[in-house]
Amino acid sequence: MAPSGYRDVIILAWPLFLSMGSTTILQFIDRMFLAWYSPEAIAAAGPSGMLAFAFQAFFVGMVGYASVFVAQYTGAQQPRKAVAVVWQALYLSIIAALLLLLMLPLGAQVFQLAGHAAAIQQLERNFFTVLMLGSFTGIGSSALSAYFIGRGETRVILFVNVIGMVINIIAAYLLVFGNFGCPRLGIVGAALSTVLAQLVGLVIYFVIFLRESQEAHGGDAWHFEFTMMKRLLRFGAANGVQFSLDMIGWTIFLLLVGRLGVTALAASNIAFMVNTFAYFPCVGFGMATSILVGQNMGRKDPGQANHAVWSAIHISLAFTALIGVLFLTVPGWIISPFSAQADPAAFAPVRDLTIVMLRFVAAYCLFDVGNLVFTAALKGAGDIFYVTLISTSNMLVTLLLPTFLICRSPTNGGNDIYTVWLILTLSVCVASAFFLLRYLKGHWRGMQVIEDVVI
């Protein structure tokens, strides 16, 4: 058994780190293309993309929690069950994609209730519709990637994400602007590019998964297993609720910010996009933490799991502090790609506001490390119900309620957006404190998601 220290965290995390980095680059370039296309397109992409993912997030979180089962089955030396639980997750993915088709009409109603300008609403509806129609590509990929994440085969995740990134960027360049004879589709082209890239990733995951499961188990683990499905639904649904409510919360936050004007919404979208340079790599460290915690809990060794958690915290804090310094010292350089081909006069107020927002990002991203790593540790052990309770309560009480009160009746000259971002920063800090306290209490040490196995 490896000691689950810095070395083990880094070995698992670096492909995830680069994988999340490729996702960041992809989203950055995608939003950059839309910023070049028009301020309305970049303003619409954030809320509509987040709303689509908010609807999908319950199922993504539910099937994605199979990675914890895989990790614990791997630690308990039950490889066939690790394969079987992924098949159950795939069956759930198919059902989920069909159910999501019924939710398409809700998008237009949400955008109308948000009170955005009519032109923005039309763009939001178009982007949302394409992403929802392609739901299975993202949800199925989450189910299949759970196998490789739980087993610690993180290089497979990197390989698939890099391929998807390249395909998405090329397709977006062709379809957003109509280059090389392709139709000029604007925001719809960006959505189609995303779905295409996810589809290619899904196929690659499935081929590798079939090959590995066939070699190891003769391919006999694909049957529907009621007991395992019931256990996956129990824990996975809780994870799905937490994941979806988080996404719904952030979507509502952006929709509320949209009431403060196009400039505030566009700047917020760009600030969140830039924040992913700190956020997504730390998601990679969190995923590595969840793997090590899950495998160690499967081996019934919480001591090594604890060592992995604090190793990940130290590494994540060092990385995030470095990124925060860049946000503070060279914000103009960081956001310059968004203005490269945008109209200078139209983009100038967005640029100035984004620079201020990055100061808030630099402040709260250090506390976000605690949210990402401690929640990953708690989930990896099986303490998902507490994570769901605290995450949802904090989102409602410390973020959405005060933001709603401010955005419901905007007052004076742009100061409202600064108040909203201060509230956001405080909300992140409060959540981090709650998860730290829960982890330190140690209830997770006696938990697991799989059935008792003698090893």
Side-chain angles (χ1 to χ4, degrees):
M1 171 61 196
S4 299
Y6 297 132
R7 178 178 179 273
D8 302 277
V9 171
I10 291 173
I11 287 175
L12 284 175
W14 76 260
L16 296 171
F17 184 102
L18 294 179
S19 180
M20 296 300 102
S22 70
T23 300
T24 301
I25 293 170
L26 166 62
Q27 293 186 356
F28 188 92
I29 293 177
D30 195 52
R31 296 300 188 266
M32 182 179 70
F33 285 164
L34 291 176
W36 293 355
Y37 189 80
S38 72
E40 291 77 13
I42 183 63
S48 55
M50 290 185 73
L51 182 64
F53 192 69
F55 284 164
Q56 298 164 0
F58 171 76
F59 301 105
V60 171
M62 182 170 60
V63 303
Y65 201 69
S67 65
V68 175
F69 282 80
V70 172
Q72 293 197 9
Y73 279 132
T74 299
Q77 301 175 23
Q78 297 286 324
R80 185 190 177 282
K81 290 186 175 181
V83 172
V85 75
V86 174
W87 278 107
Q88 311 313 305
L90 271 177
Y91 300 145
L92 286 176
S93 300
I94 296 172
I95 297 170
L98 296 175
L99 291 175
L100 285 169
L101 294 179
L102 303 176
M103 303 177 71
L104 269 174
L106 294 177
Q109 298 178 28
V110 172
F111 300 132
Q112 186 175 6
L113 287 172
H116 294 178
I120 297 293
Q121 286 187 44
Q122 183 60 54
L123 294 174
E124 288 171 333
R125 287 195 296 269
N126 294 341
F127 197 65
F128 173 81
T129 299
V130 174
L131 293 180
M132 288 292 283
L133 290 173
S135 291
F136 178 71
T137 59
I139 300 171
S141 294
S142 180
L144 289 167
S145 66
Y147 178 75
F148 304 103
I149 293 171
R151 286 173 55 83
E153 297 179 19
T154 52
R155 295 186 185 187
V156 175
I157 308 299
L158 173 60
F159 172 73
V160 173
N161 276 18
V162 169
I163 294 296
M165 176 189 70
V166 173
I167 291 173
N168 199 330
I169 290 173
I170 294 174
Y173 180 73
L174 296 175
L175 296 177
V176 171
F177 303 106
N179 289 316
F180 296 99
C182 293
R184 182 181 172 88
L185 300 177
I187 198 170
V188 173
L192 287 171
S193 304
T194 298
V195 173
L196 175 62
Q198 289 176 339
L199 176 60
V200 172
L202 174 68
V203 172
I204 296 173
Y205 276 137
F206 192 59
V207 169
I208 299 174
F209 172 70
L210 283 181
R211 185 190 66 193
E212 290 198 9
S213 60
Q214 181 72 30
E215 291 175 353
H217 315 293
D220 64 343
W222 59 270
H223 301 284
F224 180 86
E225 297 188 16
F226 178 78
T227 301
M228 184 175 288
M229 177 68 81
K230 182 179 177 181
R231 188 177 284 269
L232 176 60
L233 282 170
R234 178 191 171 201
F235 288 95
N239 189 57
V241 167
Q242 184 262 323
F243 195 31
S244 62
L245 290 180
D246 263 8
M247 288 307 305
I248 291 171
W250 287 113
T251 302
I252 293 173
F253 176 81
L254 269 182
L255 291 171
L256 290 172
V257 168
R259 298 177 71 90
L260 301 179
V262 173
T263 298
L265 182 58
S268 295
N269 280 327
I270 293 173
F272 279 133
M273 185 68 255
V274 173
N275 181 41
T276 59
F277 282 100
Y279 179 83
F280 277 129
C282 288
V283 170
F285 289 122
M287 292 169 68
T289 303
S290 187
I291 294 168
L292 289 170
V293 169
Q295 291 182 356
N296 280 301
M297 295 308 290
R299 297 184 180 99
K300 301 185 184 299
D301 191 350
Q304 292 289 6
N306 179 63
H307 187 45
V309 172
W310 288 108
S311 297
I313 285 288
H314 298 158
I315 297 171
S316 300
L317 283 174
F319 169 81
T320 306
L322 176 61
I323 296 296
V325 169
L326 295 178
F327 290 164
L328 292 173
T329 56
V330 288
W333 177 80
I334 291 173
I335 65 175
S336 60
F338 290 99
S339 61
Q341 310 236 350
D343 179 78
F347 192 77
V350 175
R351 178 186 181 278
D352 294 341
L353 184 55
T354 304
I355 288 175
V356 177
M357 288 179 176
L358 288 182
R359 298 170 189 167
F360 289 100
V361 175
Y364 74 63
C365 63
L366 287 172
F367 292 92
D368 218 16
V369 167
N371 289 330
L372 293 170
V373 177
F374 288 126
T375 56
L378 295 171
K379 288 181 180 182
D383 198 7
I384 180 58
F385 300 103
Y386 177 87
V387 172
T388 301
L389 174 63
I390 294 303
S391 179
T392 303
S393 301
N394 184 71
M395 175 72 70
L396 290 173
V397 175
T398 69
L399 180 63
L400 294 184
L401 178 58
T403 300
F404 169 75
L405 294 175
I406 291 170
C407 296
R408 179 181 59 177
S409 303
T411 55
N412 53 65
N415 290 329
D416 291 318
I417 188 61
Y418 301 128
T419 305
V420 165
W421 272 76
L422 177 60
I423 289 170
L424 167 61
T425 302
L426 294 175
S427 178
V428 171
C429 296
V430 170
S432 182
F434 271 107
F435 290 125
L436 170 62
L437 290 174
R438 177 66 173 186
Y439 180 80
L440 292 176
K441 286 185 177 180
H443 297 293
W444 61 272
R445 292 176 178 269
M447 296 180 174
Q448 64 178 24
V449 300
I450 63 174
E451 64 275 17
D452 287 330
V453 178
V454 178
I455 59 176

